[in-house]
Amino acid sequence: MTSKRVLRLKDLIALLGISKSSIYLKIKEGSKYYDENFPKPFNLSVRLIGWDEAEVDAYITFLKTSNGNKKVKEGDAS
């Protein structure tokens, strides 16, 4: 049986190495930093949210593979 783990905000910050405000900007539609691929949080209670660890792992894998395809050519300053 596969166990499911729920990540809280502090876990997500530590795992991704980005700030709390960056996370909220990535999930807020309309933000210039909105990322449609970023895992969506879900309610644990009225005041608590969490993220599915498997979705976060998939997002990290996505970042690794998509960034690997965007190699900058030598001499290209952009």
Side-chain angles (χ1 to χ4, degrees):
M1 179 169 105
T2 304
S3 64
K4 288 196 166 220
R5 183 166 173 230
V6 175
L7 300 176
R8 297 292 313 279
L9 183 59
K10 65 179 179 145
D11 302 320
L12 197 60
I13 290 168
L15 191 60
L16 296 178
I18 60 176
S19 69
K20 175 181 171 180
S21 58
S22 293
I23 291 170
Y24 284 116
L25 287 170
K26 286 181 176 290
I27 62 176
K28 182 179 180 181
E29 289 187 40
S31 162
K32 84 177 203 179
Y33 300 106
Y34 175 71
D35 183 348
E36 66 183 14
N37 298 304
F38 196 83
K40 305 295 185 251
F42 57 91
N43 291 331
L44 297 169
S45 71
V46 176
R47 297 185 60 185
L48 298 176
I49 61 172
W51 285 262
D52 183 301
E53 183 179 39
E55 290 181 14
V56 173
D57 289 341
Y59 178 70
I60 291 170
T61 301
F62 168 77
L63 289 177
K64 286 179 181 178
T65 57
S66 65
N67 286 337
N69 294 329
K70 296 180 183 176
K71 292 183 180 176
V72 178
K73 295 179 188 174
E74 189 174 329
D76 189 2
S78 53

